[in-house]
Amino acid sequence: MGRDQGDGLVAIAGRIGVVTSVALNLAVFAFYLRGAGDKEAGKKVKKAAAVAPSSGKPPVCADSIINLDHGDPTMFEAFWRGPMGERATVVIPGWQTMSYFSDVGNLCWFLEPGLEREVRRLHRLVGNAAAEGYHVLVGTGSMQLFQAALYALAPPGGAAAPISIVSPAPFYSSYPAVTDFLKSGLYRWAGDANAFEGDEYIELVCSPSNPDGGIREAVLKSKSGKAIHDLAYYWPQYTPITHMLAHDIMLFTVSKCTGHAGTRIGWALVKDREVAQKMNKYLELNTIGVSKDSQLRAAKILETVADGYERQPAGATGDASLLFHYAQRQMMQRWRALRAAVTASGIFSLPDEVAGFCTFAKDTVTANPENTI
Amino acid sequence: MGRDQGDGLVAIAGRIGVVTSVALNLAVFAFYLRGAGDKEAGKKVKKAAAVAPSSGKPPVCADSIINLDHGDPTMFEAFWRGPMGERATVVIPGWQTMSYFSDVGNLCWFLEPGLEREVRRLHRLVGNAAAEGYHVLVGTGSMQLFQAALYALAPPGGAAAPISIVSPAPFYSSYPAVTDFLKSGLYRWAGDANAFEGDEYIELVCSPSNPDGGIREAVLKSKSGKAIHDLAYYWPQYTPITHMLAHDIMLFTVSKCTGHAGTRIGWALVKDREVAQKMNKYLELNTIGVSKDSQLRAAKILETVADGYERQPAGATGDASLLFHYAQRQMMQRWRALRAAVTASGIFSLPDEVAGFCTFAKDTVTANPENTI
């Protein structure tokens, strides 16, 4: 369920380890482990010709091989096929949103007002990040916003050397590749933040961390250093919400929040107006804004999630209307099954469970990291 | 109606002139010219508070000022509000296309199969470009594919100097800014192709040309040089279709083809498999693929356009089912009105009309360039 499926198809230099996509691949993993000692294992199973319409991939079967390289957040699909799913349906007529513009009065002129409204509402509901007083920017996934932030925070260039981009190891395997693939004169990957010496840098803080799920803070403390907080996993299904974070640049994505990776919608909360303007300029030059269709859909999805908590829809029982509760239960069950399978195998080890009081759930809950090494 | 509305909001160095968005702004332009000698001109018109839902902008009124900097392709909106519009409606339920993947077996694994099918079908119908034997890639607009092509064609870098990117002047004003904004070590803007000396380069061939609508061929002929053909305007409403083009890399976008700029969907036809793979890698690293919602919508829109010609839908009379005919008539009427207004003003001049035999319309038709200096 990592965001690095790109790496999965075309190898990228600088990978730091195998990212196990626990959530997605667990069923296959269990098959695989069982299959090793199974008399049936040698039998050839007829190859499935069909491709699942929701994922473009062959369906899981008994001789599927676990994919340790990348994942895919389709595990929440069952929720969206339930009673709340219909509420999240969007209908887009042929004449709608033909323009480049969404709101010419907004700093981010291609941001659909409905998406901004629902992003702010969701953060108020969950309490994971301060949105009031922040500029909201929309991106084609949060990785585009990460690159926009590098562009905005790097000195304008010229004679100066590229600024160093660092992150405490183990870091998300795509950071080095995405930073360096265009050999920009503005910024350059410089590796582990813990080993970095100097005052001029941009530190990437991914919390909860991809790959290990750990709660992180910036390790470098220079006054002239800058930080980008990648909070893709700071949602109640992955970790207890303990603080309303208020960092300078905070990145989120619907891929991890609701499971809709295919929409490619991420957003940034940015404190400083000039930084937000420069990030926006990156988005203009790179893709002249962001798909309005996916923005409309993401707005509807986030609205549905918040409505599930705030308007108690009729007909939904248990956690069928509560995405974060449903997803938290899914993650917990999968971790439990994974721990059992790993214990049985004796080949792998897993990190210990961590629990904490979640201000959203108003209860002590276990962290269920989405990825693990 | 240029693609440089980004420039309109944040000034970009390197602009080569004022791009007049003829198609969009003509009504306002006529008002403006008339208003200069009008007794009513001094009267304050009550400011319109509303923002049009399709464009996020205030509606046009008598004291609107013509925007010579950028345009917006909402001129085809009336077609899509007509009988064909309903056929182009998409309905996307909450559970659909949650995955990163569209078709794992395809080189471009995030390309929706339906979009690829309709892209190939439309090129067969219009006869403007050879799609058979080409790889189809999807991008977040064609400008992302332009950057993907630079990445794919540039030598891998290292000690070598960045390759020169050139285009015959006058060129699209965004090319220099988009090429140079990240100060890539792989490529660097080198200006007018006619003034370039050397064998190592990538030439951008924009035909019909933005800004002047001229039909262009590569001006540089070195065997080691490479070319990217930006064919955003090579559709029957803008110019007679005279050849089925078959260049190495050809870029298109729905923004100009059907007027749906807000979907941010472009596509590339790429002859060489290795180049297509490297372009795809850029798209993976930059945005981990492209919005599936907009791909589904673009597929539906292109399908509707082709159906309008091939299946003669009931209830549509005149050119109400024929997008290219409708759009050609719109463009012609606007050019006629612009010529009249410009003649009356005595301030500006316009290029002469050019006509040619269009293999699609099977008639001699006038070129109606979308932009003009």
Side-chain angles (χ1 to χ4, degrees), chain B residues 50-318:
Chain B
V51 168
S54 64
S55 69
K57 291 184 288 193
V60 172
C61 61
D63 66 345
S64 293
I65 295 170
I66 187 167
N67 188 335
L68 293 166
D69 179 85
H70 69 267
D72 205 15
T74 50
M75 62 173 288
F76 303 153
E77 193 180 306
F79 178 89
W80 294 108
R81 284 186 183 272
M84 295 302 281
E86 205 170 319
R87 293 166 183 268
T89 299
V90 287
V91 178
I92 308 176
W95 56 267
Q96 205 171 6
T97 56
M98 296 184 69
S99 172
Y100 287 105
F101 299 90
S102 294
D103 180 1
V104 285
N106 195 344
L107 182 152
C108 187
W109 49 266
F110 48 80
L111 169 60
E112 285 291 312
L115 179 59
E116 174 167 6
R117 190 171 60 239
E118 295 301 331
V119 159
R120 293 184 184 279
R121 180 182 171 205
L122 191 68
H123 285 300
R124 278 196 303 273
L125 172 72
V126 175
N128 59 343
E132 297 308 312
Y134 279 73
H135 300 279
V136 177
L137 302 177
V138 63
T140 311
S142 62
M143 287 305 283
Q144 189 185 28
L145 290 160
F146 157 62
Q147 293 161 81
L150 295 184
Y151 173 74
L153 295 180
I163 194 163
S164 295
I165 313 300
V166 296
S167 190
F171 40 73
Y172 176 36
S173 57
S174 284
Y175 285 154
V178 171
T179 303
D180 280 348
F181 79 120
L182 294 178
K183 299 187 189 299
S184 172
L186 302 176
Y187 44 78
R188 186 168 49 195
W189 184 251
D192 187 1
N194 291 299
F196 182 78
E197 293 183 3
D199 292 326
E200 301 295 333
Y201 59 83
I202 300 171
E203 180 179 350
L204 301 171
V205 185
C206 185
S207 182
S209 167
N210 178 350
D212 68 6
I215 297 299
R216 299 276 181 82
E217 292 189 0
V219 301
L220 298 175
K221 304 290 181 192
S222 165
K223 277 188 183 169
S224 55
K226 290 162 184 165
I228 300 168
H229 282 75
D230 181 349
L231 304 178
Y233 300 106
Y234 195 45
W235 296 102
Q237 65 267 49
Y238 304 116
T239 193
I241 302 301
T242 56
H243 295 85
M244 163 100 63
L245 299 179
H247 300 293
D248 289 350
I249 300 179
M250 300 185 281
L251 308 183
F252 296 91
T253 165
V254 292
S255 303
K256 309 306 173 192
C257 174
T258 70
H260 291 84
T263 64
R264 310 304 313 115
I265 293 292
W267 66 91
L269 302 178
V270 183
K271 198 178 278 181
D272 183 79
R273 185 176 173 83
E274 271 185 46
V275 172
Q277 280 174 323
K278 210 167 166 201
M279 285 179 70
N280 209 58
K281 184 173 175 185
Y282 175 95
L283 299 166
E284 291 172 16
L285 289 166
N286 187 210
T287 54
I288 320 186
V290 173
S291 160
K292 303 213 185 309
D293 310 309
S294 279
Q295 289 191 63
L296 293 176
R297 189 172 178 218
K300 191 76 183 169
I301 287 164
L302 298 189
E303 181 187 7
T304 304
V305 171
D307 281 355
Y309 283 94
E310 294 180 343
R311 301 197 178 167
Q312 296 158 332
T317 56

Side-chain angles (χ1 to χ4, degrees), chain A residues 3 41 46 83 135-136 159 165 189 247 276 285 334 336 343 353:
Chain A
R3 280 169 298 168
K46 192 179 172 186
H135 300 280
V136 177
I165 313 300
W189 184 252
H247 299 294
L285 289 165
R334 288 179 174 224
R336 197 174 293 150
T343 302
E353 270 190 10

